[in-house]
Amino acid sequence: MNASQSEQIQNTEEGYPDFAKLTEMREELGDHFLLVMQHFQSGMLARPQKIRQAFQNNNPEQLALEGHSFKSLCRQLGLSQMETLSVTLESMGRSGQLDGAAPLIERLLAYGLQAHCELQKYCLACGKPSSVQ
Amino acid sequence: MASILVVDDDACSRTYLVALLNRAGYRVQEACSGLEGLEQVARGAIDLIITDIFMPTMDGLELLAVLDKLHPTNKVIAMSGGGLAMDRKLALHAAHKFGAVALIRKPFNVREVIRTVATALQGVA
């Protein structure tokens, strides 16, 4: 396997949350679990979009804020590479240096989409349909 | 039943914490900014406020400072994911300086959250 393939696999695998954490959360939250998951799912799509919007608007301060918020969500779900990307983007936003941010944001968007799908599948497997698309 | 106000601009964290506290038997209100939180506190009947530190418009430290002046008897727990702007120790120091009784860390550890809240609410019916 060459470096490119390895990177591709690493990227493909990144959007998978820590399912042990999800199970733990499900036990902790009981009937509230699916409601919380709906927010988490929509966050996986919306928050990277907000980061990209801040970048496109050349607003480093907003980018830092969005990166900071998204970092916590990723950490909660055990999405370590997404957390690292968010931290990096937060740092870039705080420094006002956004050079090189674009590909990181695109990775974050792709991972977010994957994570959204995985959360949705997990919720469906819980026995009730998830309403967030 | 004790009443808790959760203040966080991040809907995901806020919803998670509200669900945890509801399940633990508390009555919970929520606000998405320091200003909105302040409005709810002014209406009364809140035993404990849990506020994020990093928020736009009015952040948690500003909220703590205002609460300290206007509603000094309200108990407050600050929460933070730490991060680049301020590390956990600094956040804790700042939060204590402005009157917070404890700090909750993100991501949430359920046992830590429930224990910290119960300790803060000791003596509240």
Side-chain angles (χ1 to χ4, degrees):
Chain A
M1 184 184 300
N2 62 37
S4 172
Q5 287 169 319
S6 173
E7 170 77 5
Q8 197 173 9
I9 285 174
Q10 191 180 20
N11 290 351
T12 308
E13 289 179 342
E14 172 46 31
Y16 288 81
D18 183 334
F19 292 103
K21 282 193 177 189
L22 288 182
T23 302
E24 200 175 300
M25 283 174 65
R26 188 179 166 196
E27 288 165 4
E28 289 160 351
L29 293 172
D31 292 341
H32 301 284
F33 176 72
L34 288 175
L35 171 68
V36 172
M37 279 300 110
Q38 284 181 4
H39 280 269
F40 281 21
Q41 280 181 66
S42 58
M44 282 295 133
L45 297 180
R47 306 312 286 263
Q49 290 285 358
K50 285 186 176 180
I51 290 173
R52 178 156 74 176
Q53 193 63 53
F55 174 72
Q56 288 172 341
N57 293 341
N58 196 26
N59 187 340
E61 196 176 319
Q62 187 64 29
L63 192 143
L65 194 63
E66 297 294 348
H68 176 80
S69 290
F70 195 51
K71 169 186 69 185
S72 293
L73 176 56
C74 295
R75 197 182 294 162
Q76 192 80 55
L77 294 168
L79 292 158
S80 56
Q81 284 192 46
M82 290 179 71
E83 181 192 343
T84 302
L85 282 171
S86 302
V87 169
T88 304
L89 289 164
E90 180 189 3
S91 176
M92 292 171 98
R94 290 199 191 283
S95 70
Q97 294 293 325
L98 303 187
D99 294 343
L104 303 184
I105 292 170
E106 293 312 308
R107 279 172 66 187
L108 203 56
L109 281 158
Y111 294 166
L113 185 61
Q114 177 72 47
H116 169 83
C117 292
E118 293 305 321
L119 291 175
Q120 194 165 37
K121 278 193 275 185
Y122 185 89
C123 288
L124 285 168
C126 288
K128 291 182 185 174
S130 171
S131 63
V132 176
Q133 298 301 313
Chain B
M1 184 195 298
S3 181
I4 300 173
L5 171 65
V6 173
V7 186
D8 196 335
D9 64 305
D10 181 0
C12 293
S13 295
R14 195 175 66 240
T15 308
Y16 186 21
L17 189 54
V18 167
L20 276 181
L21 295 170
N22 269 326
R23 190 161 159 82
Y26 296 108
R27 193 168 56 242
V28 190
Q29 300 176 47
E30 52 187 301
C32 62
S33 71
L35 278 174
E36 193 186 320
L38 209 51
E39 286 171 10
Q40 295 200 32
V41 172
R43 288 185 210 123
I46 290 172
D47 300 303
L48 175 69
I49 300 151
I50 304 177
T51 180
D52 190 26
I53 290 181
F54 300 110
M55 294 184 291
T57 317
M58 176 189 262
D59 69 25
L61 293 181
E62 288 172 306
L63 175 63
L64 276 164
V66 175
L67 286 171
D68 195 37
K69 286 185 180 172
L70 299 182
H71 307 279
T73 56
N74 273 112
K75 288 181 177 176
V76 184
I77 292 174
M79 59 179 165
S80 171
L84 299 163
M86 191 185 293
D87 68 21
R88 181 171 159 79
K89 277 186 182 175
L90 279 174
L92 184 61
H93 178 74
H96 277 161
K97 187 181 168 188
F98 286 102
V101 296
L103 186 83
I104 290 174
R105 188 176 183 172
K106 293 180 184 177
F108 301 122
N109 174 298
V110 176
R111 286 195 187 89
E112 182 195 1
V113 170
I114 299 302
R115 189 177 55 241
T116 305
V117 167
T119 302
L121 284 171
Q122 270 174 1
V124 176

